[in-house]
Amino acid sequence: MITIGKHENKEFKQLENGAFYECFVSAVDELELDQARGVMKGSVNYKVRDDMHPDYAGAEIRYDYFSEAENMGWKINAVASALVIPEGTTFNSLKEFFDFIKGKALMVKVKLEPSQDGTKMYAKANGYKPTETIGFVAPLQDFTPIEDDNGDLPF
């Protein structure tokens, strides 16, 4: 049996155009081949940190596209700089870079862009800078509990 109780439909506050928000890399796409260029491509999503911007809790900046094309180096370097990845660090692929940045904190500048039909505004990443806080740990995702079938664990 399922019983639905009273609930409030929370309206999310629209992110502001041109503002920087404390975020973390919340999701990265599985990479796919860009047929036209012959390089791998994918996108990154950022989530606004609830602890820093409670009015915007849960807001996302989605579909920040990256590829292994030569003209994407500036964008990868901009995100790496914001994440304070040391100069000279090497990643063997875009997938390796994505795996490394997932869960990391940075500030993302928002640019609002209209939907194709003009009825909604979507937040797009338009700049990056280092986080102004330390010690951030991203929320656990894909948590799998430890099963102790043998009774070996001391707790």
Side-chain angles (χ1 to χ4, degrees), residues 7 10 21 38-40 54 57 59 63 90-91 94 96 123 137 140 144:
H7 62 279
K10 183 180 177 185
Y21 293 92
V39 296
M40 299 305 287
Y63 308 117
T90 303
F91 296 97
L94 187 58
E96 191 175 296
V137 178
L140 289 175
T144 305

Side-chain angles (χ1 to χ4, degrees), residues 102-147:
K102 188 169 183 187
K104 302 275 192 302
L106 73 162
M107 293 186 76
V108 178
K109 185 178 182 182
V110 167
K111 178 180 181 186
L112 295 178
E113 295 183 353
S115 60
Q116 288 182 344
D117 65 6
T119 60
K120 295 181 182 179
M121 296 297 283
Y122 291 104
K124 296 292 183 183
N126 192 39
Y128 317 92
K129 65 182 185 179
T131 181
E132 293 178 352
T133 63
I134 58 171
F136 174 75
V137 178
L140 289 175
Q141 307 223 354
D142 302 326
F143 176 72
T144 305
I146 297 173
E147 301 277 336

Side-chain angles (χ1 to χ4, degrees), residues 43-123:
S43 70
V44 171
N45 293 347
Y46 310 97
K47 187 171 275 193
V48 175
R49 291 176 47 188
D50 300 351
D51 61 325
M52 299 299 295
H53 307 282
D55 288 347
Y56 302 97
E60 288 188 293
I61 303 163
R62 302 181 69 191
Y63 308 117
D64 193 12
Y65 290 99
F66 293 82
S67 79
E68 293 177 341
E70 292 236 355
N71 64 350
M72 265 299 171
W74 69 271
K75 190 173 189 179
I76 292 170
N77 282 326
V79 170
S81 178
L83 293 170
V84 195
I85 297 173
E87 186 176 336
T89 300
T90 303
F91 296 97
N92 293 316
S93 65
L94 187 58
K95 179 183 180 348
E96 191 175 296
F97 177 71
F98 277 9
D99 290 344
F100 183 82
I101 68 172
K102 188 169 183 187
K104 302 275 192 302
L106 73 162
M107 293 186 76
V108 178
K109 185 178 182 182
V110 167
K111 178 180 181 186
L112 295 178
E113 295 183 353
S115 60
Q116 288 182 344
D117 65 6
T119 60
K120 295 181 182 179
M121 296 297 283
Y122 291 104

